[in-house]
């Protein structure tokens, strides 16, 4: 083969050998893969990317629950372009072995709070036995907070979370703490976006009244009734999440007339 001139850019292609669940994040996380079309690639930069690919691939595998993955890079310089083979052997996945889901604050002090906490537990997305994946872990925490917020605790927030991973045992213990804040009650209703219709028309469709618990279901029913009326092309309803105003939280209804 002809010798490459010093000023020629290097060309290479990456062949990924890994299960599909790991191959996809490798494409987006490993710089060696992402930079393979870089027009000014050099031998030195390629060598650095190849070295960095090993820890990057391990980290990508870990996000999918494989914390003991073996990674190998082999380079075949006899091909044009150069072939870099990235092989990831995942090993056994890490599974969730325990979940401690704690809700603190005023939700612990009332029957409606107990019902809201039960919904958080019932809808938890990463239960025991599931493979621990970073995206699922993030989604589970977000949904837990959103579920509590949707059940009258609009100021709910995540205050602590920990995933204790034991790679040797392929196990993960999860701990999450959420502060509920106070229960929210509907105060004034503000309607935005009206041009031809009156606020009274909107209020006539309301399924909530001042003093009602600000829960997601009656608010959703309100939105659906407005949409079904034919008067509006778009409707959104939102409670002001300021905990200082929880006893009489403003409900803002934003509409676009049909």
């Amino acid at each position: 083969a002809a010798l490459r001139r010093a000023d020629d850019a290097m060309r290479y292609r990456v062949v990924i050998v890994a299960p599909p669940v790991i191959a996809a994040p490798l494409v987006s996380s490993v710089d060696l893969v992402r930079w393979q079309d870089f027009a000014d690639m050099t031998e030195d930069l390629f060598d650095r990317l190849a070295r960095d690919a090993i820890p990057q691939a391990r980290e990508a595998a870990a996000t999918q629950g494989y914390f003991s993955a073996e990674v190998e890079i082999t380079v075949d310089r006899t091909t044009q372009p150069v072939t870099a083979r990235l092989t990831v052997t995942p090993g056994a996945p890490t599974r969730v072995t325990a979940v401690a889901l704690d809700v603190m604050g005023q939700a612990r002090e009332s029957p409606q709070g107990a019902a809201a906490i039960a919904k958080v537990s019932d809808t938890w997305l990463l239960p025991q036995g599931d493979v621990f994946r970073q995206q699922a872990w993030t989604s589970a925490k977000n949904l837990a907070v959103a579920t509590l917020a949707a059940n009258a605790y609009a100021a709910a927030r995540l205050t602590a979370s920990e995933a204790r991973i034991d790679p040797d045992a392929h196990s993960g213990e999860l701990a999450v703490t959420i502060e509920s804040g106070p229960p929210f009650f509907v105060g004034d209703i503000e309607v935005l976006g009206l041009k031809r219709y009156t606020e009274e028309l909107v209020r006539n469709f309301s399924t909530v009244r001042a003093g009602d618990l600000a829960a997601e279901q009656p608010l959703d029913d309100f939105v659906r009734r407005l949409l079904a009326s034919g008067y509006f092309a778009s409707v959104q309803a939102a409670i002001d999440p300021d905990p200082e105003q929880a006893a009489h939280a403003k409900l803002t209804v934003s509409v676009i007339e049909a």
Side-chain angles (χ1 to χ4, degrees):
L3 293 177
R4 183 185 295 114
R5 296 194 308 271
D7 58 350
D8 281 350
M10 179 191 176
R11 297 287 179 263
Y12 72 93
R13 283 291 175 264
V14 179
V15 175
I16 296 175
V17 181
V21 69
I22 294 177
L26 291 177
V27 171
S28 60
S29 303
V30 176
D31 290 339
L32 182 68
V33 180
R34 296 171 58 240
W35 283 57
Q36 58 187 318
D37 292 321
F38 181 53
D40 297 320
M41 182 59 59
T42 65
E43 294 280 0
D44 287 345
L45 178 55
F46 171 77
D47 289 343
R48 190 182 77 192
L49 293 173
R51 289 193 301 271
D52 291 345
I54 294 177
Q56 289 173 353
R58 287 191 182 122
E59 184 175 350
T63 65
Q64 302 305 305
Y66 297 91
F67 289 86
S68 302
E70 296 181 358
V71 180
E72 182 183 15
I73 292 281
T74 59
V75 178
D76 184 354
R77 297 181 184 273
T78 66
T79 63
Q80 288 296 331
V82 170
T83 301
R85 183 178 295 272
L86 173 59
T87 302
V88 179
T89 305
T94 291
R95 295 187 180 275
V96 176
T97 55
V99 178
L101 183 57
D102 293 323
V103 175
M104 311 302 292
Q106 294 184 38
R108 298 168 64 95
E109 302 170 2
S110 66
Q112 70 263 20
I117 293 172
K119 286 185 180 180
V120 171
S121 179
D122 291 343
T123 58
W124 177 251
L125 291 179
L126 198 54
Q128 293 184 32
D130 276 15
V131 174
F132 177 89
R133 294 187 173 93
Q134 185 60 47
Q135 185 174 0
W137 172 227
T138 300
S139 297
K141 291 183 287 185
N142 290 342
L143 179 62
V145 174
T147 298
L148 196 59
N151 286 275
Y153 293 87
R157 60 189 178 90
L158 184 71
T159 56
S161 68
E162 183 182 13
R164 295 185 291 272
I165 303 298
D166 184 339
D168 295 331
H170 307 295
S171 66
E173 298 181 355
L174 310 182
V176 172
T177 303
I178 300 171
E179 170 59 45
S180 72
F184 279 64
F185 298 88
V186 176
D188 293 334
I189 299 178
E190 179 182 29
V191 184
L192 303 178
L194 290 174
K195 295 180 180 178
R196 292 177 293 146
Y197 304 127
T198 65
E199 285 195 15
E200 183 180 5
L201 173 69
V202 174
R203 295 176 190 277
N204 285 341
F205 286 97
S206 179
T207 54
V208 294
R209 298 290 183 269
D212 286 355
L213 202 63
E216 183 180 49
Q217 189 59 55
L219 296 183
D220 283 349
D221 291 342
F222 186 11
V223 169
R224 281 195 291 269
R225 291 186 68 185
L226 287 170
L227 288 172
S229 72
Y231 293 114
F232 304 103
S234 174
V235 180
Q236 293 181 325
I239 281 286
D240 180 358
D242 181 359
E244 296 296 325
Q245 306 301 321
H248 44 82
K250 181 171 69 175
L251 172 61
T252 301
V253 181
S254 301
V255 301
I256 296 176
E257 295 176 354

